[in-house]
Amino acid sequence: MTVTEARPDLAPVVELLELRQAEGWHDGAQCYVSRNGEVLLDTTVGESRPGRGVDRDDLMLLYSAGKPLTVVALLQLWERGKLGLDDRVADYIDGWVAGKERCTIRHVLTHTGGFPNSDAGLFDADVPYADVVAHIAASPARWEPGTDAAYHPSSGWKILGAVVERVDGRPIDRYVREEVVAPLGLTGLRLGIPMDEQPGFGERIVPVSWRGHVLPVVKADGGLQMVPYKVDRYHNEPYFVAKVEPGGGMRGAARDLGRFYESLLGFGPAVLEPRTVEVMRSVHRFGIKDRLFRTVIPWGLGVQVQFSGGTGRRAFGHGGMASSRGLADPEFGLVMVVVSNALPGFLEAEQRLFEVTDAVYSALGDDVALTRQRVVPLQELYGFST
């Protein structure tokens, strides 16, 4: 942007979040938008707890929107020649058997590894990291790695974290803190907060609440079963706040996740070389229908490269379970992060992200109108009526 250009009007974004708060989809939310490193919106709506408003520096549970930090950790080691993307996971994880032997790091990053639910029930449980890795390693493959796809919500990232530790020697939470978060000055992003440190954060640790979210579970016959997933039974507990979950346990503020994405676009300190970011956001999986999402979704290395709401064609990032989305668009220098503290039903959650994304891009006006992707209605994108 130049000094002569008018700032986009992002008031509709805030109004949407306030509307959905009034309708009970969330109690509070954070939203951050920047362009070419210039902050356009850094705001909050609603409450974190009854009587306490959400603060811009509060630590929200980002769920899978935190996955890209683990990806950066892995790609840093790739840049340094310490591992290969097509190395077999078995070279790094002991006991990697049961039909998964040919699985590579690239397979895991593109959700084609064949073990999407092999840690079922362990994400919410208070189980040591190494025990979960051993369980996943011994679990049978659902398909020959690389031949099919289904989103690996947690299992794949648990393994990637273990690969980082095997190569570098530091546990994944420490590695991310020292090599990804600290260079950017983002001390608020935490992959697990030890119990003895939690009192120091106090009410900045924002609890999540259940508002109807259901979890699609793939049955043995290939069908889907929608199961209520009452996250507030587990995810506000001190043990879970302390738990190291590279696939869904990152906590932080929308503004901090936004600054992470700004780094990937070249605004601020660099945690990856620009050419590595290009590799990360390039399409590595295309044309395979995801067994969980029931649609064809292009994937980069651990990041999604297609979003609802009419993003630019080069946008990349990741959503977080029924609650959040973070993305960067190198074509327009745009970064957008929205995080809420409640998980409504699937349709409501997708509608919320659709609306916010469309409102952000629409605010940029003619500058992006000709090259952004078509705003595909959710019923067309997912094949059902909203």
Side-chain angles (χ1 to χ4, degrees), residues 36-324:
N36 299 327
E38 178 188 355
V39 179
L40 302 179
L41 183 68
D42 183 8
T43 192
T44 67
V45 301
E47 296 182 329
S48 60
R49 291 175 170 82
R52 182 190 182 275
V54 178
D55 188 83
R56 291 184 299 172
D57 289 320
D58 281 348
L59 277 61
M60 311 283 277
L61 182 50
L62 301 176
Y63 286 112
S64 291
K67 276 183 166 75
L69 282 89
T70 298
V71 177
V72 166
L74 197 79
L75 291 179
Q76 285 181 340
L77 298 176
W78 176 68
E79 279 185 345
R80 299 163 189 168
K82 295 186 176 182
L83 58 78
L85 295 176
D86 295 311
D87 289 351
R88 296 192 179 189
V89 172
D91 295 336
Y92 301 96
I93 304 297
D94 295 334
W96 193 258
V97 294
K100 306 189 302 299
E101 290 83 356
R102 295 179 61 184
C103 179
T104 67
I105 291 173
R106 192 190 304 270
H107 288 150
V108 181
L109 287 167
T110 57
H111 300 276
T112 60
F115 56 102
N117 299 308
S118 54
D119 62 339
L122 297 180
F123 180 77
D124 295 326
D126 189 9
V127 179
Y129 197 109
D131 291 357
V132 179
V133 170
H135 174 84
I136 297 170
S139 298
R142 295 283 301 277
W143 63 80
E144 176 69 20
T147 64
D148 209 340
Y151 185 65
H152 294 43
S154 171
S155 55
W157 265 250
K158 209 80 173 184
I159 295 304
L160 294 176
V163 169
V164 170
E165 182 171 1
R166 175 61 66 90
V167 172
D168 178 78
R170 285 173 285 183
I172 183 62
D173 55 322
R174 180 182 164 197
Y175 184 97
V176 167
R177 183 173 69 251
E178 295 178 355
E179 300 293 338
V180 182
V181 172
L184 300 177
L186 306 178
T187 56
L189 284 173
R190 300 292 297 265
L191 186 53
I193 304 173
M195 287 193 186
D196 61 351
E197 295 182 26
Q198 291 176 26
F201 287 92
E203 293 188 340
R204 284 186 60 202
I205 300 175
V206 177
V208 293
S209 60
W210 182 76
R211 298 293 172 81
H213 179 52
V214 293
L215 194 65
V217 177
V218 180
K219 299 188 294 185
D221 63 1
L224 278 184
Q225 180 180 5
M226 307 304 285
V227 179
Y229 188 24
K230 298 190 176 182
V231 294
D232 41 9
R233 291 182 179 178
Y234 315 101
H235 299 173
N236 299 326
E237 294 297 320
Y239 83 84
F240 191 89
V241 176
K243 199 177 182 191
V244 177
E245 282 290 349
M250 181 72 68
R251 293 175 191 266
R255 55 173 15 181
D256 283 349
L257 186 59
R259 288 167 182 159
F260 163 77
Y261 276 112
E262 288 169 1
S263 167
L264 299 183
L265 293 185
F267 307 113
V271 290
L272 287 180
E273 297 176 8
R275 60 183 179 178
T276 304
V277 178
E278 290 295 314
V279 172
M280 177 185 185
R281 69 169 193 80
S282 297
V283 175
H284 292 253
R285 168 188 140 195
F286 184 78
I288 305 178
K289 189 174 183 179
D290 193 287
R291 289 189 180 190
L292 183 64
F293 296 126
R294 304 301 200 191
T295 187
V296 175
I297 304 174
W299 282 94
L301 291 178
V303 292
Q304 197 173 336
V305 290
Q306 175 179 298
F307 301 88
S308 64
T311 63
R313 300 178 186 278
R314 300 173 66 200
F316 67 96
H318 214 291
M321 186 170 59
S323 61
S324 53

Side-chain angles (χ1 to χ4, degrees), residues 17-32:
L17 292 173
E18 291 175 338
L19 172 64
R20 297 314 186 184
Q21 176 199 355
E23 294 178 341
W25 291 12
H26 53 254
D27 292 319
Q30 297 172 333
C31 190
Y32 180 90

